[in-house]
Amino acid sequence: MRLAPHLHRIGNDIVAAYLVVTDDGVTVIDAGLPGHWKDLVRELADLGLSPADVKGVVLTHGDSDHIGFAERLRREYGVPVYVHEADAHRARTGEKPKVATGPMKLRPTLGFFAYAVRKRAIPTTYVAEVVEVRDGDVLELPGSPAVVAMPGHSPGSIAVHVPVADAVFVGDALTTRHVLTGRTGLQPAPFTDDPAEASASLERLTGLRVGWVLPGHGAPWRGSVAAVAAEVRRAGA
Ligand SMILES: [Zn+2]
């Protein structure tokens, strides 16, 4: 689905991934669940493109619902997969600390897991090889994505700032639809390793001049980024 010039989204409000499309090719931000492969291929085909036009995948973090088809792109098309160095191990193995899940409602929770099963999330295909990135890196990929460290949800969570798409991709640094309660609107994401650190990291978004804030779960958010950190904190209080 086309959100704006250069900016496309696949998946839905349960799990989403994004494409930055330029004349130089495509940068994929997050790789959803393995079953989103078909959605990726269809979205590219609508643009007259194929997976061979993808120049890189940038993961906002290493959790299994964000790395879905990354290994397939890497293995079959030689596409490099970028992840923050602190989440590289998680992307390669799935190992992560156990955290309390917080509030849950039965229907949204079942909906999330049913969708994950339908999109073949189990067993997870981990990423055999990754390119490690750090805060401040600007990647040589379509759209020149810039890495903004956002530790908290996981140690290596990042936001990805892409000026040409007028967007910042935030992964699970925040959400606009809580996968376990179904509540919508800007708010902290569940399954967060360190909620206090995640809250502090939100300040790093404040200075960005973009019109789109794009989470891994929930509807795309449109508006001034300056208000986002305070709004997420208010919702989480
Ligand atoms: Zn997630």
Side-chain angles (χ1 to χ4, degrees), residues 105-130:
K105 284 188 180 156
L106 189 59
R107 271 162 69 87
T109 300
L110 287 178
F112 176 58
F113 287 105
Y115 186 65
V117 167
R118 192 152 68 76
K119 289 293 189 183
R120 294 186 284 109
I122 301 158
T124 303
T125 305
Y126 297 105
V127 188
E129 265 177 55
V130 296

Side-chain angles (χ1 to χ4, degrees), residues 14-15 30 61 63-66 112 153 171-172 179 189-191 216-217:
I14 301 178
V15 178
D30 276 344
H61 61 296
D63 282 348
S64 58
D65 54 330
H66 297 257
F112 176 58
H153 180 74
D172 291 355
V179 293
F191 303 116
H217 311 279

Side-chain angles (χ1 to χ4, degrees), residues 27-49:
T27 298
V28 174
I29 315 281
D30 276 344
L33 300 165
H36 286 126
W37 176 260
K38 277 189 192 149
D39 305 74
L40 172 71
V41 171
R42 196 179 313 125
E43 192 74 25
L44 289 167
D46 285 348
L47 294 161
L49 301 171

